[in-house]
Amino acid sequence: RAGEVNGELEQACASCHDMLDWRMAARGRLYTALLYPLFALLVLSAVLIFLFVSVVPSLEQFLNATQSTLAWHSRALLHVSNWLTHAWLPLVASVVLLVLTTLALRQTLKTFRRLTDHWLLQMPILGTLFVELSLSRYALVCSRLYRSGVDLDHSLHISEGVLRNSVLRQSLVRVRESLNAGATLSESMDTTTRLPASFRRILAAGESAGALGQALSQAGDQHHRRAQ
């Protein structure tokens, strides 16, 4: 859209190519990093269910035959085993249903999507990763638009579309609205607490030096490296 507006469609297509390559590479790294932990968690869960459903009940028969008094942790283990023996299938079905319901509600209810997006940003490690990747993509797209001649308001508006987290996107929408109301970019960014201090400092320095496009590119590269 920006390339069509400023007559640089060829450069815009090249930028789209670079951005798609970057997104594919980032997604591939994320899948590679999460594949082994998720596989290990799945195997561990299956092994625990097998132990509680098949092995522990046979131990219960042996312990009952000895007619000895069981310790509290042994009794608790047997109670959990008895519960899982009758409830493991409904438990697995409930987890699957919960995941599918959550995904469906995120697609249909904006309030629920904002709630889950806020929860994702509050997660200890993944929340930081989401912020780094999102701001990196946002800043790089905005930099390409602004440096190709698109005005700042239009560049910010288009760049908001690459953010999938609705809470973070709404924070940057408020920044743009404050900018349109007459505030400087650094003052506008101070209206939200969602943006990291390093991101605000880089853009404030670029704005004061008259090199905002370069500052956006630098901020995008910095957050990209931190996400990696």
Side-chain angles (χ1 to χ4, degrees):
R1 190 193 316 173
E4 186 179 17
V5 170
N6 60 15
E8 297 180 353
L9 190 58
E10 182 178 358
Q11 295 182 12
C13 289
S15 296
C16 288
H17 176 269
D18 294 339
M19 182 58 61
L20 288 173
D21 279 347
W22 178 79
R23 287 181 60 183
M24 291 177 62
R27 184 178 301 173
R29 284 192 297 269
L30 186 61
Y31 287 165
T32 301
L34 293 179
L35 182 61
Y36 176 75
L38 291 177
F39 176 75
L41 181 62
L42 180 63
V43 172
L44 180 61
S45 301
V47 169
L48 286 176
I49 292 176
F50 173 76
L51 290 175
F52 276 107
V53 172
S54 299
V55 178
V56 175
S58 62
L59 293 177
E60 181 179 10
Q61 298 175 2
F62 170 77
L63 293 174
N64 290 334
T66 61
Q67 297 182 351
S68 58
T69 304
L70 300 180
W72 67 268
H73 48 77
S74 299
R75 293 195 302 270
L77 182 66
L78 294 176
H79 286 315
V80 173
S81 174
N82 291 330
W83 179 77
L84 281 179
T85 300
H86 299 91
W88 72 270
L89 188 57
L91 180 63
V92 173
S94 299
V95 172
V96 174
L97 182 62
L98 178 63
V99 172
L100 294 178
T101 303
T102 301
L103 294 177
L105 289 176
R106 278 180 56 84
Q107 297 295 326
T108 55
L109 296 179
K110 293 183 178 180
T111 304
F112 185 80
R113 184 180 183 89
R114 285 182 57 84
L115 181 64
T116 53
D117 283 344
H118 175 76
W119 177 75
L120 287 173
L121 292 180
Q122 299 301 317
M123 295 178 67
I125 298 176
L126 289 180
T128 303
L129 179 60
F130 290 147
V131 171
E132 298 289 349
L133 286 174
S134 299
L135 289 181
S136 174
R137 185 162 57 243
Y138 172 84
L140 289 174
V141 170
C142 190
S143 172
R144 289 191 177 98
L145 294 172
Y146 185 70
R147 297 174 81 171
S148 64
V150 181
D151 62 274
L152 181 58
D153 176 66
H154 199 187
S155 299
L156 294 174
H157 178 64
I158 295 177
S159 302
E160 292 161 6
V162 304
L163 298 174
R164 294 187 176 183
N165 189 284
S166 59
V167 175
L168 187 60
R169 181 171 62 248
Q170 187 61 36
S171 298
L172 290 168
V173 168
R174 287 197 296 268
V175 170
R176 179 170 56 85
E177 292 174 348
S178 176
L179 186 67
N180 291 334
T184 63
L185 183 59
S186 57
E187 293 172 345
S188 301
M189 289 187 296
D190 289 338
T191 60
T192 177
T193 59
R194 298 288 180 184
L195 302 179
S198 59
F199 186 82
R200 297 199 301 266
R201 284 197 299 267
I202 292 176
L203 296 192
E207 182 183 31
S208 61
L212 185 58
Q214 183 179 355
L216 284 166
S217 179
Q218 181 181 352
D221 291 336
Q222 182 184 40
H223 285 281
H224 178 55
R225 289 192 300 268
R226 290 178 61 179
Q228 286 180 322

